[in-house]
Amino acid sequence: NWRAERVPPMATEPFAPFAQELMPWLNYGFGVTWQDVGDIIRDRLLPVLRTSAELRAWGSTALEGESAEQQVRALVDALVDTVEGGDSELMVGSSAAESYSNRRGNRLGILAAVLVEHEWQVDLVLTRPWNERTKRLTVPTLDAFPAALLRARLGDEEVWVDMREERRGVNHINPLFQNADGLVLPLSDPRQAVSIIDRLPSFPNPDLVEEVTVRAEVRPSGDARISFRMPLRGGQAEQLLERVDSVPSDQIEMIYRQMAVSLFPGADEVSGEIERGESGATIHLELTAPRACEHESGELVCRSLVLSNPLVPVLASLPERRYPLVLRVPIERRLQLDLVAPDGWRAVTR
């Protein structure tokens, strides 16, 4: 029996890492290898690959295209349209045939079963967030790699699938798992040994690129009339739309004003709209920013139009922080500023 003694309580801080990342780890083992761990997991997963005549007929129809990637995309499109997402993308307690018959859950299992049936080389890759790469590998455990991906090969072509991303998950995996390590479980031939993959591939991540367009018509007083546009994709777009849809229509203007003030302090005369599209949503704000530009030595200096907002939210500010700050930030930010100077003035750069 193990017992923790004299362990001080952990103070909570906003935007701190998960508690398990802050506490010391104690790993212990009894001669178990990663092959042992992989075999245990794979033995549980092999029944998931059980198909049926109905599933085989559907898979043969859905798996179409000239290249391997096109075939997998067609199959994933049909899968998302046909089978609801369940509690997990991979359900050990349900076969692919059962899940397809119920039209719910186990999408990754169904996908793997169809590809194995059609003689693809299929590997289940268990992984974890990239910042945990190479940690705690000395003592193999069943819960070391909690997330499941699929790697499929047809001839010389290789396709990765992350069903959490649904249609976007074909030859793309969530940025959280890119460049991470993982445990590879061959499914097409269970006699093959399991292995550790040192680094998963990386893919372009357009959802983590911020594109902001600002048009500012500056007045001689320093005030500016501003048109602001910013496309959002993925989770950010979903959160924005959920927030807007959750308030009465007569309160939406208040949300636009909150957005405007967070970008341009003191913003006034605010109006806005949200354009919805297949790839996400676009925020469009019209506002007046008082003192957007300040008179200095015969010049108008427009510092507030650079949009160099602090990355740390107000809620994360503390007199003293003990733990690291964890924030999701864009990997790239593109700002296009169209500055219209007042009559008789011209724009210069410093």
Side-chain angles (χ1 to χ4, degrees):
N1 295 326
W2 295 86
R3 183 174 63 186
E5 296 181 351
R6 295 191 299 274
V7 178
M10 295 180 58
T12 58
E13 291 184 357
F15 299 98
F18 293 115
Q20 57 265 36
E21 297 182 28
L22 299 172
M23 294 185 294
W25 279 83
L26 176 63
N27 286 346
Y28 59 92
F30 303 95
V32 177
T33 67
W34 282 114
Q35 181 67 50
D36 298 327
V37 170
D39 285 340
I40 292 172
I41 297 174
R42 184 163 51 183
D43 287 346
R44 296 176 182 175
L45 289 174
L46 289 178
V48 175
L49 301 180
R50 190 179 303 119
T51 63
S52 62
E54 180 189 28
L55 178 55
R56 288 192 291 271
W58 174 83
S60 298
T61 302
L63 195 64
E64 59 180 6
E66 296 182 1
S67 68
E69 181 175 340
Q70 289 174 345
Q71 291 183 44
V72 174
R73 287 192 183 279
L75 182 58
V76 170
D77 281 344
L79 183 59
V80 172
D81 291 338
T82 306
V83 180
E84 292 182 27
D87 298 330
S88 173
E89 70 275 2
L90 185 63
M91 300 168 60
V92 176
S94 177
S95 70
E98 293 169 342
S99 298
Y100 180 77
S101 178
N102 295 329
R103 301 296 194 270
R104 189 174 191 278
N106 204 16
R107 286 173 169 176
L108 196 65
I110 296 173
L111 181 65
V114 171
L115 293 177
V116 169
E117 183 74 24
H118 285 79
E119 300 183 349
W120 287 55
Q121 294 299 311
V122 180
D123 299 327
L124 184 74
V125 181
L126 302 179
T127 188
R128 55 186 175 174
W130 63 267
N131 58 316
E132 297 181 16
R133 179 177 169 270
T134 72
K135 295 180 181 178
R136 300 186 294 279
L137 288 176
T138 307
V139 181
T141 58
L142 292 172
D143 57 355
F145 299 100
L149 307 171
L150 211 64
R151 181 175 66 180
R153 297 189 189 92
L154 183 64
D156 295 331
E157 294 185 72
E158 180 178 277
V159 182
W160 286 79
V161 181
D162 183 352
M163 280 308 302
R164 280 174 300 273
E165 302 288 302
E166 295 194 334
R167 290 180 171 87
R168 296 183 303 168
V170 178
N171 262 348
H172 184 272
I173 59 181
N174 190 294
L176 185 64
F177 305 118
Q178 294 182 25
N179 293 313
D181 53 5
L183 184 65
V184 181
L185 312 179
L187 298 181
S188 301
D189 184 0
R191 296 170 297 179
Q192 292 186 23
V194 304
S195 60
I196 293 288
I197 182 172
D198 180 64
R199 190 182 295 272
L200 271 62
S202 60
F203 300 90
N205 297 293
D207 287 357
L208 295 184
V209 177
E210 280 189 359
E211 298 178 345
V212 179
T213 304
V214 177
R215 175 181 171 83
E217 298 180 3
V218 182
R219 299 167 182 170
S221 63
D223 297 350
R225 187 61 185 171
I226 292 175
S227 176
F228 172 91
R229 291 180 64 87
M230 181 177 178
L232 296 176
R233 304 180 182 90
Q236 287 186 332
E238 293 173 5
Q239 291 175 10
L240 172 67
L241 294 176
E242 286 179 5
R243 182 180 178 188
V244 171
D245 293 341
S246 66
V247 301
S249 58
D250 60 345
Q251 295 183 20
I252 293 180
E253 292 299 324
M254 178 185 65
I255 293 180
Y256 294 145
R257 178 169 177 76
Q258 290 173 346
M259 294 178 185
V261 171
S262 68
L263 293 164
F264 305 95
D268 197 8
E269 301 175 3
V270 178
S271 63
E273 65 175 334
I274 295 176
E275 301 171 4
R276 304 171 186 244
E278 294 183 359
S279 60
T282 299
I283 304 172
H284 183 199
L285 299 174
E286 296 282 345
L287 59 104
T288 297
R291 299 180 298 280
C293 304
E294 299 178 351
H295 288 269
E296 293 184 8
S297 304
E299 295 181 335
L300 280 171
V301 181
C302 305
R303 294 187 181 89
S304 64
L305 298 182
V306 179
L307 291 182
S308 54
N309 295 326
L311 294 178
V312 182
V314 175
L315 293 176
S317 299
L318 295 173
E320 180 182 0
R321 289 193 65 94
R322 299 175 55 190
Y323 307 131
L325 189 67
V326 179
L327 290 172
R328 178 174 179 175
V329 297
I331 58 176
E332 184 177 347
R333 174 177 288 168
R334 302 171 184 169
L335 171 61
Q336 176 183 329
L337 175 60
D338 184 6
L339 185 63
V340 181
D343 292 339
W345 295 71
R346 60 184 179 86
V348 297
T349 57
R350 290 185 171 181

